[in-house]
Amino acid sequence: MLNVAAAVGGGLLIRETLEQVPVPKLKESEGQTACKLSVRVLSASIPGLPAPGFFSRHRPYLEASIGSARKETEPADFESGSARAAGECPWSFDETLTFAIKVKDFAGPGLKLRLRNRHETQIGALQIANAADTIGEGCVDLQRSVLPSCVEEQRKSDRDTSMWSSPVIPVGFNHCRGGLLGAGVKNSWPKRTQH
């Protein structure tokens, strides 16, 4: 009997504690934006994609889409001698993509990511840019991965709005059929993004 009372009391204490935890609240009027989602793209490891050479260079970039909105980063820079490259992510993006999203976007497939590459060849003053190829695709589940990890940030300037952030969330990409890198390359391409 004592065990039952302790379990009920513990359950009530946990419920009261969880009710005090702040969570993001989204409000949406018809056709209006519920919130803005900023995605910070940091760096990538892309096995099989060679470092830039004297005549030829690869220019990977990331396409991100949520709902009907689609954005892309500038091409990544290759940083062979940096501390980040020592951490096996030599392709540096350091860019933030911002999306105005609606509540229904959280229930959808999430943030779709496509890693693409433009290959450029330069011979003297002549520069040839090939069409972009897809390297891999990935997806971030906003409802199950991002929202539960968000914490509210304190803002001094604007008390009417709140800002929530998540820790860095590595995203694995899957090879695309007919994509740039062949089947001999491992599918463990961590992309580091922050939401």
Side-chain angles (χ1 to χ4, degrees):
M1 186 67 125
L2 185 58
N3 291 342
V4 172
V8 169
L12 291 173
L13 178 63
I14 289 172
R15 187 179 101 203
E16 287 177 15
T17 303
L18 289 176
E19 287 175 351
Q20 295 173 5
V21 173
V23 294
K25 292 180 178 47
L26 301 173
K27 296 178 185 175
E28 178 181 26
S29 300
E30 184 142 350
Q32 298 293 319
T33 299
C35 68
K36 293 203 181 237
L37 174 71
S38 295
V39 179
R40 178 149 166 123
V41 183
L42 299 176
S43 61
S45 172
I46 310 171
L49 195 65
F54 188 70
F55 296 110
S56 174
R57 66 181 176 169
H58 291 273
R59 305 287 304 214
Y61 66 98
L62 184 73
E63 286 181 356
S65 64
I66 184 165
S68 61
R70 187 181 81 68
K71 298 193 177 190
E72 63 184 50
T73 65
E74 293 294 321
D77 295 319
F78 188 81
E79 298 178 357
S80 61
S82 70
R84 181 178 289 155
E88 299 181 11
C89 291
W91 295 99
S92 174
F93 292 92
D94 285 332
E95 193 166 337
T96 301
L97 304 175
T98 303
F99 296 90
I101 61 174
K102 299 179 176 162
V103 172
K104 68 180 181 178
D105 294 327
F106 284 98
L111 180 68
K112 296 180 199 173
L113 303 171
R114 178 179 288 167
L115 187 59
R116 303 202 47 164
N117 178 62
R118 289 184 186 104
H119 182 240
E120 299 173 351
T121 305
Q122 185 162 354
I123 303 170
L126 177 64
Q127 183 174 357
I128 303 167
N130 295 336
D133 294 313
T134 300
I135 296 173
E137 293 180 339
C139 191
V140 178
D141 187 335
L142 300 175
Q143 192 173 20
R144 291 183 187 91
S145 297
V146 178
L147 285 179
S149 66
C150 284
V151 293
E152 188 171 16
E153 293 183 359
Q154 298 297 325
R155 296 178 70 180
K156 295 177 184 175
S157 62
D158 190 358
R159 302 214 184 268
D160 293 338
T161 62
S162 59
M163 184 171 185
W164 296 77
S165 65
S166 73
V168 172
I169 299 175
V171 178
F173 283 74
N174 294 315
H175 174 70
C176 296
R177 183 179 301 257
L180 173 65
L181 301 175
V185 178
K186 295 180 182 177
N187 289 342
S188 59
W189 300 325
K191 162 95 38 223
R192 296 191 177 170
T193 61
Q194 181 177 3
H195 306 277

